[in-house]
C-alpha cells in the first residue's frame, strides 16, 4: 500500500467506459489490488471500470514495458476494477492520450504510448474538450486460426440465465493483446434484453479468462455490441472488444481482414474500426476528461 494520505486523480471516459487516472510522474505510487478496488468502487470510492496510472515508461518495474521507453515515454499502467492487472484497454488509450495532451506531457498530434500489450500509436483527428482520437491497436490474430478457418468458430458460450437445455452459442476467439470471445447472436435473440450480470460460461475455459462480446448486425459494415469484460462485468463500451467484434464479423462475412471502416454501436456511444496493413487495426472515437480532484485514502 502507498504511504500517501491523499491522491490526485482525474476522471475520464471513452464512450462511457470510465476510468480513474492517477498521475505518478515520479513513479512513487504503489498501486496494489486493494487500492484499485477501493478507488473503482462505485458506492464507496470514485467509481470506474478501471484505474490507469500515468507513469514514465522507463520507471516501470516490468522489463517488457521498460523496453518500450525509447519510443513511448509514458506507460498506461492499467488495472481492471477488481484490481487485476490487464494488458491494455482500447478506450483507455484515448482517455490516457487526452490526459497526456491536456497536461502538456505530449504535445504532438501523433505519438506513441506504452502498454503491457505493446506500443500503441495515437493520432488526434479532432482536438478539444471532447477529442476524437484514433489508436493503432497493433496486430491482432485469431486464437486458433486453423479452427476458425475450418469451422468459423472455436468455442461455445452459454449465459447462465438461459435454460440449461438450450444449446450454447458458437463463438470465435480473437487475440487483441488481451483475450476476446465474440458471439454472433441468432436472429431470434434480442441483444437489448440479454442479462449480462453473470459471467458468461465459455468452453473450453480460457486459461486467463476472456472478454465476451455479443454482436448483432445492423446493416452493411455496421454492428451493435454489448460486452461482459473480464474482471469488471458488463461495461458501456470496450475498445478492444469493439475491434474484436468487427474483425470477427468481417471474417464471417467472407473477409480475412476488414478492408473498409466498420461502425460499432455500444451502449455508451459509437466507435469506428478500420483495418490497417500488416494485420493491424485502428480504433477511433471520443474521449472526455470530466473531473479532477483529490481523494482521502483513509475515507475509502
Amino acid at each position: 500500500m502507498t504511504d500517501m494520505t491523499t491522491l490526485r486523480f482525474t476522471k475520464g471516459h471513452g464512450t462511457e467506459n470510465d476510468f480513474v487516472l492517477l498521475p505518478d510522474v515520479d513513479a512513487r505510487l504503489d498501486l496494489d489490488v486493494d487500492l484499485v478496488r477501493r478507488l473503482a468502487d462505485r458506492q464507496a470510492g470514485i467509481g470506474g471500470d478501471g484505474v490507469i496510472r500515468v507513469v514514465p515508461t522507463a520507471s516501470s518495474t516490468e522489463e517488457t514495458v521498460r523496453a518500450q521507453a525509447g519510443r513511448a515515454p509514458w506507460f498506461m499502467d492499467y488495472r481492471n476494477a477488481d484490481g487485476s492487472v490487464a494488458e491494455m484497454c482500447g478506450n483507455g488509450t484515448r482517455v490516457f492520450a487526452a490526459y497526456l495532451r491536456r497536461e502538456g506531457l505530449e504535445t504532438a498530434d501523433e505519438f506513441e504510448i506504452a502498454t503491457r500489450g505493446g506500443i500503441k500509436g495515437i493520432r488526434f483527428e479532432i482536438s478539444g474538450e471532447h477529442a476524437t482520437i484514433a489508436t493503432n491497436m497493433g496486430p491482432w490474430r485469431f486464437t486458433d486460426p486453423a479452427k476458425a478457418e475450418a469451422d468459423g468458430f472455436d468455442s461455445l458460450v452459454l449465459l447462465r440465465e438461459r435454460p440449461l437445455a438450450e444449446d450454447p452459442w458458437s463463438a470465435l476467439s480473437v487475440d487483441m493483446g488481451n483475450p476476446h470471445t465474440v458471439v454472433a447472436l441468432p436472429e431470434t435473440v434480442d441483444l437489448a434484453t440479454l442479462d449480462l450480470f453473470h459471467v458468461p460460461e465459455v468452453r473450453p475455459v480460457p486459461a486467463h479468462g476472456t472478454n465476451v462480446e455479443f454482436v448483432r448486425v445492423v446493416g452493411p459494415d455496421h454492428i451493435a455490441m454489448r460486452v461482459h469484460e473480464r474482471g469488471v462485468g458488463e461495461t458501456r463500451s470496450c475498445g478492444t472488444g469493439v475491434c474484436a467484434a468487427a474483425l470477427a464479423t468481417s471474417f464471417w462475412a467472407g473477409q480475412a481482414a476488414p478492408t473498409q471502416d466498420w461502425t460499432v454501436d455500444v451502449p455508451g456511444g459509437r466507435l469506428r474500426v478500420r483495418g490497417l496493413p500488416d494485420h493491424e487495426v485502428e480504433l477511433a472515437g471520443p474521449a472526455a476528461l470530466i473531473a479532477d480532484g483529490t481523494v482521502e485514502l483513509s475515507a475509502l
Side-chain angles (χ1 to χ4, degrees), residues 142 145-155 170-173 182 248 251-252:
F142 293 125
K147 192 163 180 56
E149 196 65 42
D151 302 328
F153 66 94
D154 58 14
S155 48
S170 301
L172 184 61
S173 303
V182 183
F251 175 75
W252 288 323

Side-chain angles (χ1 to χ4, degrees), residues 218-230:
V218 176
D221 310 328
H222 187 181
I223 58 176
M225 185 197 87
R226 289 174 62 194
V227 58
H228 189 287
E229 286 200 54
R230 175 186 60 166

Side-chain angles (χ1 to χ4, degrees), residues 1 32 50-51 54 57 67 78 98-99 105-106 108 171 179 192 198 209 213 220 238 256 261 293:
M1 169 62 68
D32 64 17
V51 173
V54 183
T57 308
Y78 181 68
Y99 180 86
L105 301 174
E106 292 283 2
H198 299 290
E213 288 78 30
C238 172
D261 289 355

Side-chain angles (χ1 to χ4, degrees), residues 241-294:
V242 162
C243 292
L247 292 164
T249 307
S250 178
F251 175 75
W252 288 323
Q255 296 182 355
T259 57
Q260 74 290 331
D261 289 355
W262 279 81
T263 298
V264 184
D265 294 333
V266 292
R270 176 169 287 182
L271 292 157
R272 186 193 76 218
V273 176
R274 174 177 294 171
L276 300 176
D278 300 322
H279 223 60
E280 297 186 346
V281 64
E282 180 183 79
L283 173 72
L289 305 176
I290 61 172
D292 298 286
T294 58

